[in-house]
Amino acid sequence: MAAMATSSLRSIPSNTWLHKFRPRTSIPSRSFTTLASLSPIENTENIQLNVTVPSTSNNNNNDKSNKSFFPKRGQTLELVCESLAFKGKGVCKVADTGFVLMCDRALPGERFIGRVTRKKDNFAEVKKLKTITPHFDYVEAPCEYASHCGGCKTQNLSYEAQLKAKEQQVRDLVVHVGKFSDHEPEFAGAMKPIVPCDIQFHYRNKESGKFHILLSVSDAFDLVEVMGSSRGNSLLQKCEMEFSFGPKGWVPAEQLQEKSTEGCVYALGLHAPGFFDKVLNVNKCLLQSDPANEVLAIVQECWRDPELGLSPWNVYSHSGFLKHLMLRTGSNVETGLPDLMVNFVTSSDNPEYLKPLVEKIATIPEAVSIVNNVNTSIGNTSVGEKEYTLYGKSTITEILRGLTFQISANSFFQTNTQQAEILYKLIEDCAFLKGDGSEIVLDLFCGTGTIGLTLAKRVKHVYGFEVVAQAVADARQNATLNCINNATFIEGDLNKIDSTFASNLPKPDIVITDPNRPGMHIKLIKFLLKLRASRIIYVSCNPATCARDLNYLCYGVPEQNIEGHYRLISLQPVDMFPHTPHIECVCLLELRYLWDLESEKNTNASYEAAVIRSSWTSEN
Ligand SMILES: C[S@@+](CC[C@H](N)C(=O)[O-])C[C@H]1O[C@@H](n2cnc3c(N)ncnc32)[C@H](O)[C@@H]1O
């Protein structure tokens, strides 16, 4: 793949949904009440004495004496959450002005007291201080970290309510970012109900944690999950949580009052959202497999032992040895039982320091691979420049749609294998293969080749593109492992393509594109619009960038005089990650030209057929 000068990826505004709620400053506010002073309150017990109660769409504040209400930074407010926005933040609105307040961990229907932490022109961010009355669909969270860890932000929301919220978020994004009209029957037909996840805990096959130094106790910031993210290297991103590193640990405010944190010097666990240096120590995660939790427990039990001489990475001083612990669960090909890979990411090349930990972990029968990635950079990347196999194999296997896949520590693999079966079935349905072995498939962002290989036996040839060299090597190995010889995997950066990209390949009939969160680079969009493959299947773990790219593919890029050529036939959200804000989508786009021909022949037959074949039914 030829390299071109890179231009940065286009970004979408972080608050694209906001125009729906843009404040109408000219309209005077009907009502709000200032109950007391606006000074920040540190003691949450005294909150009632100091709150402002703006009139929100859901409360009945009938005081008509006040002017338009726009909160100030530091102000303490009583609010009612209306809905969940993308990324899981609760949305509260001031009724008359439409001014939006976003609050992490506020759930629909919840009445709470929050403090304004950030104020922008048309919205403010609020930190929840105290719940007054819980939300409509409250359930007890089974996880002890649920109220602090940012990973499972919605454990307190019933699963049905989580699904409803996610479905609505996708619809809103496709309408507001993608500019599809929800009044058009065509769009209404394309939007599918979300596919639920039958297993709502222990579904993750990969978790990662961080080693952190807990230096001081900070004030109460919500947490974001570091587990599940292999990243640092954004090219590897999938639907895993983003995380950062820091030497500053974090203890929730309530625990600060309850118990002394003395002696809790180091932390291995979860990061505070937006803070790379605050970490919540975690001993168990309900999203990962039992063997993975056993490993976590073993590591937690002994890694602080001074005799081992292990130290956590300090992002400020760039010192310390242990950076990440990554746990990935696959399936044993013979028994189908869990196979576990344990990956220690360290800052220096001293694998012998890990020997005592390795000996203990190796006692767990499922731990079939223990590796050490050495990453000497000062950044947070978990991909090593060097990799050592400390015990067992260097890869684990996973079984997906009847094929066996070999996965190395640094290759992307679907995090929830059970749900990936369903996702891949949907992709296969959208591909609508003729089955005569005549079609060419282009598998962009192919990772270890999984999607392309599951289709390979029914097509003429699969061409996969992927930037991570190890993933490409795994993809080739996976083709061999499954006796597939009509798949070619090519290493290259799809953000840096030029006009020669893929020019030596036959024209594909079907393009599958499965980018990571930033979506597709404009160069790739332009390539696809020029290529005009009959069908594009867009698999996305970020509905916001997906909506943007769908807009380009369907309506073009007017500012660059580029026409769109596709029609959105179906958009199927899939819940791969219950309790987290993540949403996966499978979108089917058909070349408009083909559509029009079909329409002429048989009015809406093509459309209806496509909609039927791509929609999820329980028989699937
Ligand atoms: C969401 S994963 C999809 C992987 C694969 N399709 C699957 O289902 O297992 C995205 C993949 O894109 C790769 N990737 C990210 N940025 C890339 C780029 N600029 N060029 C090529 N591949 C990239 C990542 O390494 C990762 O394997």
Side-chain angles (χ1 to χ4, degrees):
M1 191 183 307
M4 273 179 66
T6 51
S7 65
S8 62
L9 278 163
R10 294 148 306 132
S11 61
I12 55 163
S14 57
N15 53 346
T16 34
W17 45 270
L18 270 179
H19 70 276
K20 194 175 163 194
F21 312 116
R22 205 158 275 151
R24 302 186 297 275
T25 38
S26 55
I27 305 169
S29 170
R30 191 172 41 112
S31 53
F32 78 93
T33 314
T34 303
L35 295 182
S37 91
L38 304 179
S39 60
I41 304 157
E42 295 313 324
N43 181 353
T44 52
E45 291 306 305
N46 297 329
I47 279 165
Q48 280 92 332
L49 303 174
N50 298 282
V51 288
T52 300
V53 187
S55 166
T56 62
S57 335
N58 289 9
N59 74 18
N60 298 321
N61 186 343
N62 290 322
D63 182 344
K64 301 189 186 221
S65 61
N66 294 292
K67 294 180 188 150
S68 292
F69 177 77
F70 293 102
K72 297 185 182 72
R73 193 161 176 266
Q75 199 170 14
T76 304
L77 309 168
E78 183 184 316
L79 297 162
V80 179
C81 174
E82 289 188 12
S83 59
L84 274 187
F86 177 52
K87 296 189 181 169
K89 289 201 177 191
V91 178
C92 314
K93 264 193 286 175
V94 177
D96 290 338
T97 61
F99 192 88
V100 170
L101 299 117
M102 303 287 293
C103 183
D104 220 11
R105 297 181 174 285
L107 296 169
E110 182 176 2
R111 183 180 293 271
F112 66 100
I113 292 171
R115 185 192 301 144
V116 179
T117 51
R118 220 165 132 227
K119 165 93 196 299
K120 294 265 190 172
D121 282 351
N122 54 359
F123 81 108
E125 276 179 26
V126 173
K127 177 175 142 43
K128 186 162 82 177
L129 299 177
K130 188 177 179 177
T131 297
I132 301 170
T133 47
H135 52 91
F136 309 130
D137 300 291
Y138 181 86
V139 289
E140 284 294 332
C143 174
E144 62 178 297
Y145 306 106
S147 45
H148 316 304
C149 159
C152 290
K153 285 185 181 180
T154 49
Q155 255 191 49
N156 283 124
L157 194 60
S158 74
Y159 187 54
E160 291 68 31
Q162 289 181 31
L163 290 173
K164 209 170 132 202
K166 286 186 177 186
E167 200 175 295
Q168 189 57 42
Q169 286 159 25
V170 174
R171 183 178 286 275
D172 286 349
L173 285 164
V174 178
V175 169
H176 299 307
V177 178
K179 307 276 190 291
F180 290 83
S181 165
D182 51 357
H183 302 303
E184 282 175 25
E186 201 177 291
F187 173 72
M191 274 303 299
K192 304 291 162 207
I194 192 164
V195 179
C197 184
D198 287 345
I199 300 175
Q200 285 138 35
F201 286 99
H202 301 291
Y203 57 77
R204 282 193 101 110
N205 55 30
K206 184 178 181 186
E207 293 291 342
S208 79
K210 308 296 161 198
F211 293 93
H212 295 274
I213 305 171
L214 189 55
L215 288 182
S216 67
V217 176
S218 65
D219 53 354
F221 289 105
D222 294 331
L223 291 181
V224 80
E225 184 191 58
V226 294
M227 300 186 313
S229 179
S230 61
R231 317 313 184 196
N233 178 352
S234 62
L235 293 181
L236 284 179
Q237 281 196 26
K238 176 63 185 170
C239 289
E240 292 161 356
M241 317 301 174
E242 286 183 12
F243 58 89
S244 56
F245 300 94
K248 236 181 175 182
W250 185 84
V251 174
E254 357 20 308
Q255 287 182 14
L256 254 183
Q257 287 153 14
E258 281 166 21
K259 62 181 184 195
S260 162
T261 54
E262 258 178 63
C264 185
V265 183
Y266 294 159
L268 162 59
L270 316 173
H271 270 249
F275 293 91
F276 65 100
D277 55 352
K278 294 181 182 184
V279 180
L280 174 73
N281 195 64
V282 162
N283 295 318
K284 185 176 183 178
C285 172
L286 294 187
L287 298 192
Q288 67 174 356
S289 69
D290 288 340
N293 273 322
E294 278 180 57
V295 171
L296 182 61
I298 286 183
V299 178
Q300 284 285 32
E301 209 176 276
C302 62
W303 76 278
R304 295 177 186 85
D305 181 349
E307 285 196 6
L308 301 186
L310 299 172
S311 55
W313 177 246
N314 182 324
V315 286
Y316 290 116
S317 62
H318 303 149
S319 61
F321 179 61
L322 293 167
K323 281 184 160 183
H324 314 268
L325 168 70
M326 296 170 66
L327 305 174
R328 186 175 234 180
T329 312
S331 317
N332 185 295
V333 182
E334 270 125 46
T335 63
L337 294 172
D339 265 1
L340 190 66
M341 173 182 272
V342 181
N343 177 10
F344 287 99
V345 181
T346 61
S347 62
S348 61
D349 194 351
N350 295 103
E352 65 281 3
Y353 291 174
L354 296 168
K355 206 171 162 218
L357 289 180
V358 172
E359 277 169 6
K360 285 185 195 256
I361 294 167
T363 60
I364 297 177
E366 290 88 350
V368 295
S369 165
I370 307 179
V371 299
N372 172 206
N373 268 261
V374 180
N375 185 291
T376 56
S377 74
I378 56 168
N380 296 339
T381 314
S382 52
V383 178
E385 302 120 30
K386 246 186 203 176
E387 185 175 300
Y388 293 99
T389 303
L390 305 178
Y391 172 80
K393 310 178 286 182
S394 60
T395 56
I396 51 168
T397 50
E398 187 56 281
I399 301 161
L400 201 48
R401 297 206 59 74
L403 300 183
T404 301
F405 292 95
Q406 176 180 290
I407 322 157
S408 337
N410 294 322
S411 301
F412 173 88
F413 200 81
Q414 293 289 345
T415 315
N416 177 350
T417 317
Q418 180 108 359
Q419 201 68 344
E421 281 282 341
I422 290 170
L423 185 79
Y424 282 30
K425 170 79 170 81
L426 286 168
I427 296 168
E428 204 177 309
D429 288 351
C430 286
F432 199 50
L433 298 176
K434 290 184 200 155
D436 60 0
S438 66
E439 286 146 312
I440 302 286
V441 173
L442 188 60
D443 183 7
L444 301 174
F445 306 92
C446 67
T448 52
T450 39
I451 299 178
L453 289 174
T454 54
L455 303 179
K457 288 192 174 154
R458 295 172 62 205
V459 304
K460 189 170 181 187
H461 207 96
V462 172
Y463 294 93
F465 284 87
E466 164 64 45
V467 75
V468 175
Q470 189 57 58
V472 174
D474 283 352
R476 290 174 185 151
Q477 180 64 26
N478 287 332
T480 311
L481 210 62
N482 293 288
C483 306
I484 292 170
N485 49 23
N486 61 338
T488 307
F489 295 100
I490 303 157
E491 186 186 331
D493 188 339
L494 292 165
N495 293 343
K496 296 181 180 174
I497 58 171
D498 64 13
S499 56
T500 64
F501 175 62
S503 55
N504 55 344
L505 305 181
K507 182 174 169 175
D509 302 284
I510 299 150
V511 173
I512 293 156
T513 181
D514 185 6
N516 51 353
R517 286 187 207 178
M520 290 196 284
H521 196 285
I522 190 73
K523 287 178 192 166
L524 193 56
I525 300 267
K526 284 184 190 170
F527 164 79
L528 291 176
L529 285 173
K530 207 169 147 198
L531 183 72
R532 297 195 190 195
S534 315
R535 207 166 293 133
I536 297 178
I537 302 163
Y538 191 144
V539 186
S540 165
C541 58
N542 182 343
T545 51
C546 174
R548 175 203 64 195
D549 293 348
L550 292 179
N551 173 276
Y552 284 138
L553 291 167
C554 294
Y555 304 123
V557 192
E559 59 277 19
Q560 297 191 29
N561 263 337
I562 298 169
E563 269 182 53
H565 298 304
Y566 285 89
R567 194 178 291 264
L568 180 64
I569 302 295
S570 77
L571 196 165
Q572 174 77 73
V574 182
D575 189 23
M576 304 282 288
F577 308 106
H579 315 299
T580 78
H582 298 291
I583 315 169
E584 196 86 8
C585 292
V586 180
C587 314
L588 171 62
L589 295 146
E590 226 168 54
L591 193 64
R592 221 180 279 146
Y593 163 76
L594 285 184
W595 166 280
D596 293 340
L597 279 185
E598 284 285 326
S599 305
E600 270 172 38
K601 268 197 270 162
N602 191 0
T603 39
N604 257 349
S606 159
Y607 168 73
E608 273 157 22
V611 167
I612 289 162
R613 69 181 180 252
S614 63
S615 68
W616 175 254
T617 63
S618 50
E619 294 96 70
N620 292 331

